[in-house]
């Protein structure tokens, strides 16, 4: 069951691992200690689970969201992310 769950969240893990790694490396500006590395892995898993649960699963439910709704949400989230990254 654990490996099946990791398989389910694997795309979210893939999406989150690099931004988390870069953020840790940028803010620590030194090689990651074992504690920092474990924290980065834990944060990546937490973000992946949240993304999978609140974004991926609902987006796959066609009865709940229309294509227009998903497109509008994507555009809004993209604009918000662009704005936040420019600060």
């Amino acid at each position: 069951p654990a490996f099946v769950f990791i398989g389910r969240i694997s795309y979210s893990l893939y999406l989150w691992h690099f931004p988390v790694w870069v953020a840790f490396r940028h803010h620590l500006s030194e090689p990651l200690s074992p504690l920092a590395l474990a924290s980065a892995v834990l944060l990546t898993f937490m973000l992946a689970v949240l993304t999978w649960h609140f974004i991926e699963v609902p987006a796959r439910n066609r009865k709940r969201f229309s294509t227009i709704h998903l497109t509008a949400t994507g555009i809004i989230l993209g604009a918000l992310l662009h704005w936040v990254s420019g600060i």
Side-chain angles (χ1 to χ4, degrees), residues 12-81:
S12 293
L13 283 170
Y14 168 73
L15 292 177
W16 280 113
H17 84 280
F18 191 69
V20 169
W21 176 261
V22 169
F24 269 72
R25 295 283 298 170
H26 176 73
H27 290 291
L28 295 177
S29 67
E30 60 186 35
L32 295 181
S33 68
L35 179 61
L37 183 59
S39 298
V41 169
L42 181 63
L43 179 62
T44 301
F45 266 89
M46 289 172 37
L47 290 169
V49 169
L50 290 172
T51 302
W52 174 78
H53 182 74
F54 290 109
I55 296 174
E56 284 187 54
V57 172
R60 291 181 185 174
N61 186 354
R62 292 247 180 222
K63 295 177 187 174
R64 193 168 172 191
F65 296 104
S66 68
T67 303
I68 293 171
H69 184 213
L70 289 175
T71 302
T73 302
I75 290 170
I76 291 168
L77 287 174
L80 181 64
L81 196 64

